Every structure is written in structure tokens, then in C-alpha cells.
Amino acid sequence: MIVVKDSKDFDVVVIGSGVGGGAVALQLAGSGAKVLVLERGPVLPREAQNWDVEAVFCEQRYQTSETWYADGRPFRPGMFYFVGGHTKFYGSAMFRFRERDFEALAHEEGVSPAWPIRYGELERWYGEAERLFGVRGEGGTDPTDPPRSTPYAHAPVPHEPLLAQIEQRLRAQGLKPFPMPSAIDLGPGGRCQRCANCDAIPCKIDAKGDAEIRLIRPALLHGNVELLAGVQVERLITDDSGRCIVAAEVLEGGVRRRITAGLFVLSAGAINSAALLLRSATARHPRGLANSSDVVGRHYMTHNTTALMAVHPFKRNPTRFPKTLAVHDFYFGDGAADTPLGSLQLLGKIREPMLRGPLPSVPRFVRSALADHSVDWYAQSEDLPHPDSRVSLRPDGAINLHWQRSNLRAHERWVAKCRQILRDTGYPIVLAQGFGTEVVSHQCGTVRFGNDPASSALDPLCKAWDHDNLYVVDAGFFPSSAAVNPALTVAAQALRVGHHLRTEFFS
């Protein structure tokens, strides 16, 4: 058992204020622990540019200016460093993983490995996460829905008229579309205005269920939790034995110092958590902390994804909040093959500035016409883990990504099937654009958990095998990526881990 000494600055230091770090902090709020949450970014300013599509997409006002590398090619990653992490910009989708997602599952190009826990061990915490985030949905309507012990606390977001028509056309094809679970504050007394500014855009009226609003702010209402923003953690420092983390070396306002604690919870995101562990290498741990298995940074995944614009040249789409519909009929395969294909869900409404990057040579009036006449979808397939798909550090300390693409044949089949499904809803033109290395919004798998210290970095409660007081609780712990958005699963496991820490050490 870990003994938290009075001489430490804090009992627990949580690195990162996104879903994982926020959920752990909230679980420890009101306990006997003195908790500090460190966030490298500031509180996102509430300003007119929050809802300015030009500022967000074209000027990239909120995106990091860091340079990362993809096999030596420099790029500016789609990373956002603010209190609340990437959830300040996510599209509010909150899916549970399917029961079979936790088991070994054969795909067309390989096997998705089993998790060291099963769905039943997270089910309680999924329900708690849905409650905390205010998720709106309807259980039992998704044909792949896992069992639930509690219903959603809020009814699903109603379809706008055009999407209600499309739902009926999907049903006419024999499909079972269902309300997409979404974390927005809608309904009587709610803040949501059902505007078009949700997916990939911050909410300036706090109507999106993000980690700052739903986790960090409630945690800070308790006197034992503090937040320190604008502080970048550069290294974790161990004691002489190498078994215990004694301090986080941080950079704040150009000044470097150390913050000591009895427990450390790393939740900086799958890429940055792996990079921090690698950057903290010592003589005892030459491959980086938590890395005697040599898996830290490996098995990087981020989903195979394609945006689809279903266009009808004579029908405008007046929908403002479209993220209300999803299709999982072929999640685990179709009649032509028994291997999984993926999920199909509505995207936030695409507007002309969002098309300038993928369609720079197309005249602006054509881009505007496309955006005005499209219904926008997101096809997603599982990205299989591969040991050579990895996060590594360059000699100058910068992050390099090598994404070993996998399961692309299945994704191509899924995109082709989606295009036909959308044509059959009455949209004769379906444009497709795949996403590449620069899009890291579903990053996972770089600090995987498991039952064997030889093949995993973390145990089933996300504690590092190599260290007595280090936990890693972001999507880095995923052994597989499934084919749905990762946020709710991160939240569920983080609540489980936070509950363990509270009852084991601070009750």
C-alpha cells in the first residue's frame, strides 16, 4: 500500500484536465486527499471568435502551434490545449463500447485484442459518466446496444425535420437507425440553442457537456481540489529505486520547478502521455518510465474515418444541430462478410470555410452550394493496433508519429456501403474525404493496460506495473480502438480508477 507522506506538496497530482483527469479529480473531490490538477493550457476564453467558423477553421485560432512530425514530415497537429482538453471541441458524441468490443474480435486484416476487463466491469461507471455529462439518448434502439442497468437520464435530442425524413428512408431500407447519444444541455432550463456551432467548435454558452463544465468545475467546488492552468509538465522524477514517482518537473511562466506528491495520475492524452513517459527516461529506465515491456508509445490508433457529404442539388439543408442519428447495422459485419465494418453517424453541419482546406481549388460559390445542399456524415472503422504504429521522440524532443495504417480494406468497403445507403435516402451525389495523420482526435492505445507486465504498461486499474504510485488514465490505456468515439469509455474507466484511489487510500 502507498503511504502518502505529509512532506509532499500534494497527495495527488493529476496531469491533464480532460475526461480522464477530470473524472479522477471529481472522484477525489471531498475526500481526505489534497489534489492538484495541472493543465498546460489556459481556460478557454469566452469570446465572439468561439462561434466564428473563419476563426476556428481557417485561422486555426485555438489549435496548438506545435510542430509534430509524421515520419519526418512536419505538420501542425489537431491538438487543443485548454482546461477541459479536447472535449472543448468535441462533437458531444458519447457512445458506450459494445460488449464484444472488450473481447478478441477477428477483422478482415487482423485481430482486435481482448481487454483485461469486460463490459460488465465498466457498466456501472458508464451509467455514472452518462449522468455526469448529461448524455441524451434512448437505450435499446441501437441494434448493437450493450445491456444497461439504468436508462438515460435525458430523452434523445429530437431530429430536425429533414433528418426525420432521412431516418424514415433509412428504415425503408430495412435499417435500424437510432438516436445518437449526445451530451448537450437541451430542454427546459437548458442552455443549448440548437445552433450549428458544436462539432469541432467550442461552446461559448456552456451548453456542451465537456470535461471542464461537467467534471473540473464541480471538483473545484470542494476545498481539497485545486487547478493550476498554463503549466506544462516536462518530466516525471523518480526516487533512487525507480519504483516511485516523487515529483513532476514543470515549466510555468518560463520558470522550471518541481511539484511533489504521493500519487500521480497522468491524463495528458494518448500521444502526450506516451511522450512524457518517454521523455522521463532515466538510467534505471532507459526506455522511459512504465516501459519495461517496451510498449509505451506503441500500438497507436486513431480510427479509420471518412467524412461523407450527401448532396442533393435541388434541396437545401436548413438543419442547425444535426448530430442526432447513427447507424450500427453493419458494426459487426454484413451479409457479404462476417468481419466488422463500422459505424455511421451524422457530423456537425459543414459550412463553406470548413471546405477550404480539402477543396482549395474549388470556387467559393461552389463550396457554399455544396455546404448548403449537403447532409454530412462520418463513417468510422476500427484501427487495429500494431507495435510499429507508434509515438516516438526526435533528437530535438519533438513528437514523431508513425501511423501503421490497418484494416483499410474493411474501411473502404464500409465507405462504399455508406455511399450506397446515403444515395438510397434520396441524395444522388455523395462526396468522400478521408482523414489523415494530422487528425488526432480519437488517439488511443499508446500506454495499453493488460494482465501481463511483459506485454502491457498498466494493470487493469491503470496503475503502471513498473511504479508503485503512477496511474495513466486517458485513451492511451486502450488495447483496441473499437469503432465508436472513445470519450465515454475513458470517463467510465477514470471514474472506476478514481473510486479505487479514494477507497484504497483516502477513505
Side-chain angles (χ1 to χ4, degrees), residues 72 124 139 204 223 271 281 294 307 323 330 359 361 397 414:
R124 166 192 175 187
K204 70 177 181 180
I271 295 172
D294 193 29
K323 292 178 68 69
F330 305 103
L359 300 174
S361 61
W414 179 224

Side-chain angles (χ1 to χ4, degrees), residues 74-96:
F75 71 96
R76 185 179 178 185
M79 295 291 294
F80 303 90
Y81 298 132
F82 295 97
V83 175
H86 272 216
T87 59
K88 299 304 291 185
F89 292 82
Y90 84 145
S92 78
M94 282 284 197
F95 289 89
R96 297 185 179 201

Side-chain angles (χ1 to χ4, degrees), residues 68-129:
W68 289 2
Y69 295 83
D71 295 328
R73 175 181 60 82
F75 71 96
R76 185 179 178 185
M79 295 291 294
F80 303 90
Y81 298 132
F82 295 97
V83 175
H86 272 216
T87 59
K88 299 304 291 185
F89 292 82
Y90 84 145
S92 78
M94 282 284 197
F95 289 89
R96 297 185 179 201
F97 275 20
R98 323 289 91 185
E99 276 190 288
R100 290 173 63 189
D101 287 330
F102 291 85
E103 303 167 3
L105 188 60
H107 286 255
E108 186 172 341
E109 296 181 34
V111 175
S112 179
W115 287 39
I117 60 174
R118 291 294 179 263
Y119 170 78
E121 294 170 78
L122 279 191
E123 199 281 329
R124 166 192 175 187
W125 302 111
Y126 271 129
E128 178 67 6

Side-chain angles (χ1 to χ4, degrees), residues 9-267:
D9 295 328
F10 294 89
D11 295 322
V12 184
V13 165
V14 178
I15 301 167
S17 65
V19 171
V24 170
L26 186 59
Q27 286 288 60
L28 295 175
S31 71
K34 186 180 180 184
V35 180
L36 176 67
V37 180
L38 296 174
E39 170 55 52
R40 69 185 290 176
V43 172
L44 184 77
R46 183 175 294 181
E47 56 189 5
Q49 291 92 333
N50 292 163
W51 282 0
D52 184 338
V53 181
E54 294 272 351
V56 175
F57 283 88
C58 300
E59 299 169 15
Q60 299 178 321
R61 180 179 181 85
Y62 303 108
Q63 189 171 325
T64 181
S65 59
E66 285 183 301
T67 298
W68 289 2
Y69 295 83
D71 295 328
R73 175 181 60 82
F75 71 96
R76 185 179 178 185
M79 295 291 294
F80 303 90
Y81 298 132
F82 295 97
V83 175
H86 272 216
T87 59
K88 299 304 291 185
F89 292 82
Y90 84 145
S92 78
M94 282 284 197
F95 289 89
R96 297 185 179 201
F97 275 20
R98 323 289 91 185
E99 276 190 288
R100 290 173 63 189
D101 287 330
F102 291 85
E103 303 167 3
L105 188 60
H107 286 255
E108 186 172 341
E109 296 181 34
V111 175
S112 179
W115 287 39
I117 60 174
R118 291 294 179 263
Y119 170 78
E121 294 170 78
L122 279 191
E123 199 281 329
R124 166 192 175 187
W125 302 111
Y126 271 129
E128 178 67 6
E130 288 166 348
R131 183 189 68 80
L132 287 170
F133 278 88
V135 181
R136 310 186 70 88
E138 185 178 0
T141 54
D142 175 351
T144 66
D145 241 359
R148 311 175 57 90
S149 60
T150 54
Y152 285 103
H154 306 281
V157 182
H159 300 310
E160 295 186 40
L162 182 66
L163 299 183
Q165 295 173 14
I166 290 174
E167 181 192 27
Q168 293 306 310
R169 291 171 184 166
L170 290 169
R171 293 192 183 281
Q173 297 179 44
L175 302 175
K176 298 176 182 176
F178 62 93
M180 189 166 77
S182 180
I184 58 172
D185 186 15
L186 184 68
R191 296 185 179 93
C192 184
Q193 302 174 4
R194 289 192 70 129
C195 70
N197 301 312
C198 195
D199 203 352
I201 297 174
C203 183
K204 70 177 181 180
I205 58 173
D206 289 352
K208 186 189 299 187
D210 65 47
E212 181 196 11
I213 295 166
R214 297 291 184 164
L215 303 176
I216 296 295
R217 290 185 189 174
L220 293 176
L221 295 176
H222 298 263
N224 69 311
V225 180
E226 300 177 37
L227 170 68
L228 192 56
V231 177
Q232 183 165 349
V233 179
E234 296 194 315
R235 291 175 59 87
L236 296 176
I237 309 299
T238 70
D239 64 5
D240 292 340
S241 74
R243 288 292 310 177
C244 186
I245 312 300
V246 296
E249 187 172 277
V250 306
L251 190 63
E252 180 183 11
V255 177
R256 186 171 284 103
R257 65 187 179 99
R258 291 185 176 184
I259 299 174
T260 61
L263 285 171
F264 289 83
V265 178
L266 177 54
S267 185

